[in-house]
């Protein structure tokens, strides 16, 4: 068991490192660097080279990566190549907004996904697939037209009150959270429907139902443990998708979170900022996968297996 | 099996959605009465300012990519001069600027009643420090102070500055306009936040999107009508429109043309700022086929300007007459409007030896709305005179690195800057941003003569003649200029119609009562 936990932790660390390398390499491979974009064709030759050297961009990519990694491990993620502001400050200022969106979307998406995953029938399946396939921007515009335009329940933009927590006007969170949650719930449900159907069809579940065990108890004691590990895995990937979804949602509803920061940082080749935000997103996914691994380890000797033997 | 009927699923989803929406809306409705006195007191102006979608910069002297940053700087810091309604410089921190006989040594007199928020008076030393800092960041601010020899300039006394120019330069008032944000001398750290300023407002807080400003009651200027200004940096123009229409803000800067008519019908005020947006088409005068002035003229004559204006700016703007800065005070106003003349254009192409036509690539991007449409339409309009243009749309992030100032034929961008700024950026031989490769020595010497002319009227005439020559001989096709439109909630007044840096000053806007 402890060996398995150690293995899972090791795998999580390796995944994070791989993500960091991949993101760094991808950003470095983009045409033009931060200095070129910042100076927008206004300078050339020696001037350009001097600015590059000042920003440390004249060093080989491997050296830059190791320098960045060293900084990160000692708690300093560096400074923006565009504004000179500390990355920790830029991320810290915005993390709460995005976290509220992602957590809010998860709180909504998980029960919705459970409900959808248990549903059976072709129509339900088609609906789930269709909803999962909708791009967030379409969902967002549609929801805004409905809830803000038609019914006028909530404002069409989410301008959070300055200097107060993002949830101090909850109505502002409705559109962005729903826009993130609905396609994610549909995606998760689509992934889990097959598994859930298989488990429900197992004899011990039918047994329990025939014995008169109440529905929720069946779900919790007999179905839940078998679905837990794949569900957590889907949840981890969904959480990553939600973080990615903030890039669209924040722009659409006028919010300044990590999504907006990431889009701008990629556009301006602001590598330290890209790294920090991308790594945070990766950490969310990896942490979720780690939890799924641990859950799988814990449930491998759970009641469901005993039930199967019985 | 106990499969639910298909209808149940839809109902379930709809119920979940509605319950959540109602619950959250209900929460906020309960909180709203308590929050509203804080949120929308009548002495607060909430401004959705255009942003480049980037994290706010705190350095007033480098690159200010988003207007929201200029707004924040213009509230916090004093500048030396500001553009007036006619685009000519008006006093701000500088009360007078007078040259010697050579027009190379300028005495700039400063107000003696300006003070930074930390109590220190603003002196010539602070001004010189700030100008030198701008000079040091020339690579980021388009060499804004390139006409000055800042090392040779000096502070004569606490309220007087001696500014030395590298050549006779009669338009020093214009050169100091807009961006000359004055900070305390010897300030080194511009990353932690805005440093003490002497402007009409003082930053008191905020978050990644919003900076909250409170009126600086010690400011020397006219008392601002609002006590608090909230500046929100919002990148998406549609989100800015929605924000003002739903009452979340009082003023939205630079909204899409398509939103203006419905908003006016709904009672909002549209503040039009003519001459703000221009997508001139660059033809490099040193590269075939555009090195032949007849080809450039043919392009100018083949262009259907009205169609471009109607399509790209939805008719909200003016036809272009190939004048590069039509709203500059010195731009000639009496030239006939250039109209399509395909016969003459074809004749010019034949004269240039291109009767069989020519293949060219027309570069464009999606950095600003309508740049791509400009290229598509123009390519169609040039086909009848044998110019077969292939439109290539480049990614917006690298367009100004790869295409701008490099390619021979592309859609460029100019946003409401004065003629002499365009000269410095785009018409100076040897500069990497001399995008049309304009290097006519007689034009350059005529420019030097104009700038050495102490008489404002004759100098204006000379500058006008230079612009007329550029119109006929230069490499810019200026087919139109788009208005910028700001949307204001009912009761908001005092929004300036200035463009460029002038649009960044909102301290005299009256909030809704």
């Amino acid at each position: 068991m402890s060996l398995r936990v150690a293995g899972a932790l090791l795998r999580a660390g390796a995944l994070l490192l791989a993500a960091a390398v991949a993101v760094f390499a991808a950003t470095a491979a983009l045409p033009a660097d931060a200095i070129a974009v910042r100076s927008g064709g206004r300078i050339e030759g020696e001037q350009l080279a001097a600015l590059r050297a000042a920003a440390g961009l004249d060093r080989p990519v491997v050296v830059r990566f190791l320098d960045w990694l060293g900084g990160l491990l000692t708690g300093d993620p560096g400074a923006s190549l565009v504004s000179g502001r500390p990355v920790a400050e830029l991320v810290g200022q915005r993390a709460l907004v995005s976290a509220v969106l992602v957590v809010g979307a998860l709180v909504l998406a998980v029960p919705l996904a459970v409900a959808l995953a248990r549903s059976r029938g072709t129509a339900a399946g088609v609906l789930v697939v269709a909803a999962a396939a909708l791009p967030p921007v379409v969902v967002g515009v549609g929801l805004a037209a409905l809830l803000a335009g038609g019914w006028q329940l909530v404002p069409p933009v989410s301008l959070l009150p300055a200097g107060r927590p993002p949830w101090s006007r909850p109505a502002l969170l409705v559109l962005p959270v729903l826009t993130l949650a609905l396609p994610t719930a549909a995606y998760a449900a689509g992934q889990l429907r097959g598994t859930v159907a298989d488990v429900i069809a197992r004899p011990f579940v039918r047994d329990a139902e025939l014995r008169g065990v109440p529905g929720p108890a069946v779900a919790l004691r007999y179905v839940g443990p078998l679905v837990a590990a794949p569900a957590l895995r889907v949840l981890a990937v969904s959480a990553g998708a939600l973080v990615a979804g903030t890039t669209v949602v924040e722009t659409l509803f006028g919010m300044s979170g990590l999504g907006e920061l990431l889009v701008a940082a990629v556009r301006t080749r602001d590598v330290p900022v890209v790294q920090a935000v991308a790594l945070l997103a990766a950490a969310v996914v990896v942490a979720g996968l780690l939890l799924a691994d641990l859950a799988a380890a814990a449930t491998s000797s759970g009641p469901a297996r005993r039930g199967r033997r019985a | 099996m106990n499969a639910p009927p298909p209808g149940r699923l839809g109902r379930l989803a709809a119920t979940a959605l509605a319950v959540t929406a109602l619950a959250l809306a209900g929460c906020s409705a309960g909180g709203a009465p308590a929050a509203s006195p804080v949120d929308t007191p009548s002495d607060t102006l909430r401004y959705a300012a255009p942003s480049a979608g980037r994290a706010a910069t705190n350095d007033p002297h480098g690159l200010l990519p988003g207007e929201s940053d200029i707004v924040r700087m213009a509230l916090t810091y004093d500048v030396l001069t500001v553009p007036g309604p006619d685009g000519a410089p008006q006093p701000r921190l500088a009360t007078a600027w007078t040259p010697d006989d050579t027009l190379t040594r300028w005495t700039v007199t400063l107000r003696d009643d300006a003070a930074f928020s930390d109590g220190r008076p603003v002196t010539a030393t602070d001004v010189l420090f700030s100008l030198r800092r701008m000079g040091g960041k020339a690579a980021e601010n388009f060499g804004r102070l390139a006409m000055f020899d800042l090392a040779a300039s000096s502070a004569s006394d606490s309220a007087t500055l001696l500014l030395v120019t590298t050549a006779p330069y009669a338009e020093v008032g214009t050169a100091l306009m807009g961006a000359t944000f004055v900070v305390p001398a010897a300030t080194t750290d511009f990353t932690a936040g805005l440093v003490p300023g002497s402007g009409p407002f003082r930053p008191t807080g905020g978050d990644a999107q919003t900076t909250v400003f409170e009126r600086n009651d010690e400011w020397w200027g006219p008392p601002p009508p609002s006590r608090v200004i909230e500046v929100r940096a919002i990148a998406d123009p549609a989100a800015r429109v929605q924000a003002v229409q739903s009452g979340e803000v009082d003023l939205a800067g630079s909204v899409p043309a398509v939103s203006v008519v419905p908003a006016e019908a709904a009672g909002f005020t549209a503040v039009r700022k003519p001459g703000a947006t221009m997508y001139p088409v660059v033809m490099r005068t040193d590269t075939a086929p555009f090195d032949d002035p007849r080809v450039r003229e043919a392009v100018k004559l083949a262009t259907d300007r009205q169609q471009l204006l109607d399509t790209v700016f939805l008719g909200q703007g003016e036809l272009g007459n190939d004048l590069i800065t039509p709203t500059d005070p010195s731009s000639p106003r009496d030239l006939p409007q250039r109209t399509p003349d395909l016969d003459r254009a074809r004749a010019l192409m034949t004269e240039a030896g291109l009767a069989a036509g020519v293949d060219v690539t027309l570069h464009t991007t999606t950095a600003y709305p309508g740049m791509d449409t400009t290229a598509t339409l123009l390519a169609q309009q040039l086909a009848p005179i044998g110019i077969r243009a292939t439109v290539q749309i480049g990614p917006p992030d690298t367009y100004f690195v790869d295409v701008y100032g490099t390619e021979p034929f592309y859609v460029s961008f100019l946003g409401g800057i004065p003629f002499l700024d365009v000269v410095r950026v785009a018409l100076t031989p040897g500069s990497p941003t001399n995008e049309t490769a304009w290097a006519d020595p007689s034009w350059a010497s005529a420019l030097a003569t104009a700038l050495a002319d102490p008489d404002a009227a004759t100098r204006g005439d000379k500058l006008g003649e230079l612009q007329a020559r550029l119109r006929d001989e230069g490499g810019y096709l200026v087919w139109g200029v788009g208005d910028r439109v700001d949307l204001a909630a009912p009761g908001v007044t005092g929004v300036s119609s200035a463009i460029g840096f002038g649009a960044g000053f909102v301290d005299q806007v009256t909030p809704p009562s």
Side-chain angles (χ1 to χ4, degrees):
Chain A
M1 181 72 195
S2 64
L3 205 67
R4 191 155 177 187
V5 171
L9 279 173
L10 209 64
R11 200 154 55 239
L15 268 174
L16 269 185
L17 186 66
V21 172
V23 173
F24 202 96
T27 320
L30 286 173
D33 61 16
I35 299 301
V37 172
R38 199 173 78 185
S39 53
R42 293 184 292 273
I43 51 170
E44 52 191 6
E46 276 176 36
Q47 261 188 308
L48 203 56
L51 281 183
R52 274 215 176 96
L57 287 174
D58 54 343
R59 301 168 301 164
V61 64
V62 177
V63 176
R64 277 186 276 147
F65 178 76
L66 291 178
D67 186 42
W68 169 82
L69 190 65
L72 190 73
L73 293 176
T74 54
D76 176 20
S80 159
L81 292 176
V82 174
S83 66
R85 295 174 61 188
V87 171
E89 179 197 314
L90 290 173
V91 170
Q93 240 186 1
R94 291 160 178 263
L96 189 60
V97 171
S98 299
V100 165
L101 292 186
V102 170
V103 170
L106 277 180
V107 165
L108 196 62
V110 167
L112 197 58
V114 169
L116 291 174
R118 288 183 56 196
S119 68
R120 271 165 272 183
T122 333
V126 169
L127 194 70
V128 164
V129 171
L134 280 179
V137 66
V138 173
V139 177
V141 170
L143 284 172
L146 196 68
L147 297 180
W151 298 346
Q152 309 218 326
L153 286 174
V154 293
V157 282
S158 305
L159 307 186
L160 300 175
R164 282 191 281 152
W167 53 82
S168 53
R169 278 183 65 195
L172 295 179
L173 300 177
V174 172
L175 284 177
V177 164
L178 282 178
T179 303
L180 285 175
L182 296 185
T184 305
Y187 162 78
Q191 294 290 306
L192 291 175
R193 281 182 93 223
T195 316
V196 171
D198 283 353
V199 174
I200 288 176
R202 295 244 177 117
F204 64 89
V205 177
R206 302 288 304 279
D207 248 29
E209 281 174 347
L210 291 174
R211 285 206 313 272
V213 179
V218 173
L220 207 65
R221 285 185 50 208
Y222 296 93
V223 182
L226 274 190
V227 185
L232 274 172
R233 240 171 247 128
V234 169
L235 185 69
V237 175
S238 301
L242 287 175
V243 175
T246 60
T247 53
V248 174
V249 166
E250 287 170 9
T251 307
L252 198 58
F253 297 111
M255 310 178 90
S256 293
L258 293 178
E260 187 193 60
L261 185 66
L262 180 63
V263 172
V266 169
R267 229 170 47 209
T268 54
R269 313 291 188 257
D270 198 347
V271 179
V273 177
V274 174
Q275 287 291 101
V277 180
L279 210 59
L280 261 182
V284 169
V285 179
V286 168
L289 291 174
L290 179 65
L291 274 180
D293 276 359
L294 297 180
T299 52
S300 57
S301 55
R305 176 165 286 192
R306 279 201 308 275
R308 203 184 317 172
R309 278 195 208 112
Chain B
M1 291 297 279
N2 52 357
R8 206 177 114 192
L9 181 74
R11 262 207 319 279
L12 189 78
T15 311
L17 196 153
V19 165
T20 317
L22 284 171
L24 291 179
C27 286
S28 76
S36 61
V38 186
D39 273 351
T40 57
S42 60
D43 59 358
T44 297
L45 176 75
R46 299 162 306 163
Y47 179 31
S51 94
R54 305 183 185 179
T57 177
N58 290 324
D59 190 331
H61 300 136
L63 180 65
L64 297 171
E67 189 178 304
S68 54
D69 285 325
I70 298 175
V71 172
R72 290 165 60 242
M73 303 303 166
L75 288 171
T76 311
Y77 307 112
D78 268 324
V79 295
L80 292 174
T81 66
V82 286
D86 59 350
Q90 305 276 310
R92 189 94 165 181
L93 193 58
T95 54
W97 44 98
T98 41
D100 68 351
D101 290 342
T102 65
L103 290 175
T104 58
R105 296 170 70 81
W106 286 73
T107 305
V108 178
T109 314
L110 307 173
R111 311 191 60 85
D112 58 5
D113 53 355
F116 292 113
S117 56
D118 59 7
R120 281 183 288 168
V122 178
T123 67
T125 313
D126 302 309
V127 174
L128 189 61
F129 169 81
S130 304
L131 295 182
R132 282 184 176 154
R133 199 161 177 280
M134 278 182 77
K137 291 193 162 271
E140 290 174 48
N141 60 33
F142 286 90
R144 187 161 281 282
L145 298 180
M147 65 292 287
F148 294 109
D149 181 348
L150 292 167
S153 303
S154 58
S156 315
D157 61 51
S158 70
T160 316
L161 198 68
L162 175 72
L163 281 182
V164 180
T165 61
T166 53
Y169 198 90
E171 295 282 354
V172 158
T174 307
L176 299 176
M177 205 161 70
T180 47
F181 301 111
V182 174
V183 299
T187 308
T188 50
D189 186 4
F190 287 88
T191 57
L194 297 168
V195 301
S198 63
F201 281 78
R202 286 171 181 172
T204 57
D207 53 32
Q209 179 179 69
T210 310
T211 313
V212 181
F213 291 89
E214 272 183 36
R215 185 168 58 209
N216 169 13
D217 288 318
E218 274 106 72
W219 191 52
W220 51 265
S226 49
R227 190 183 58 80
V228 174
I229 296 183
E230 286 181 18
V231 179
R232 283 185 187 271
I234 301 181
D236 183 20
R240 295 197 292 273
V241 175
Q242 303 260 292
V244 73
Q245 287 193 327
S246 61
E248 297 286 308
V249 299
D250 308 307
L251 178 65
S254 194
V255 300
V258 65
S259 66
V260 173
V261 173
E264 281 185 305
F268 293 87
T269 311
V271 182
R272 288 191 165 73
K273 310 187 180 200
T277 311
M278 190 188 277
Y279 305 143
V281 177
V282 165
M283 298 175 276
R284 263 193 98 90
T285 58
D286 63 354
T287 310
F290 304 109
D291 54 348
D292 188 326
R294 291 169 295 198
V295 175
R296 301 200 293 271
E297 194 185 344
V299 169
K300 290 172 188 172
L301 287 173
T303 304
D304 183 344
R305 292 149 200 266
Q306 190 68 49
Q307 188 193 22
L308 280 161
L309 177 65
D310 289 345
T311 313
V312 176
F313 295 133
L314 301 182
Q316 305 201 12
E318 302 284 335
L319 284 179
N321 201 12
D322 296 324
L323 290 163
I324 193 71
T325 48
T327 51
D328 188 280
S330 66
S331 186
R333 303 295 197 269
D334 50 359
L335 297 171
Q337 172 62 46
R338 198 161 267 157
T339 48
D341 185 347
L342 288 181
D343 292 336
R344 175 83 189 120
R346 279 192 205 98
L348 284 164
M349 291 294 286
T350 308
E351 277 176 41
L354 295 172
V358 61
D359 293 295
V360 291
T361 302
L362 175 55
H363 293 266
T364 189
T365 183
T366 49
Y368 298 93
M371 283 179 89
D372 45 349
T373 316
T374 302
T376 317
L377 272 184
L378 184 65
Q380 290 166 10
Q381 293 176 1
L382 295 182
I385 65 165
I387 296 181
R388 295 177 293 270
T390 310
V391 173
Q392 188 159 341
I393 302 181
D397 13 349
T398 51
Y399 191 72
F400 291 94
V401 181
D402 293 339
V403 175
Y404 175 72
T406 306
E407 293 293 343
F409 194 38
Y410 65 92
V411 180
S412 189
F413 172 81
L414 274 177
I417 60 177
F419 175 60
L420 289 175
D421 281 355
V422 176
V423 169
R424 191 189 66 248
V425 173
L427 298 167
T428 302
S431 151
T433 50
N434 182 357
E435 49 184 350
T436 56
W438 181 247
D440 186 319
S442 71
W443 194 88
S445 68
L447 175 69
T449 311
L451 287 173
D453 184 344
D455 183 88
T458 53
R459 183 171 68 243
D461 290 344
K462 287 174 186 165
L463 291 173
E465 280 163 33
L466 287 163
Q467 289 163 72
R469 265 191 69 192
L470 193 68
R471 163 188 185 262
D472 295 332
E473 300 163 27
Y476 281 112
L477 163 70
V478 182
W479 51 265
V481 271
D483 295 343
R484 163 190 165 138
V485 183
D486 291 0
L487 273 188
V492 174
T493 56
V495 181
S496 140
S497 64
I499 53 176
F501 267 97
F505 290 79
V506 295
D507 54 278
Q508 297 301 323
V509 176
T510 304
S513 49

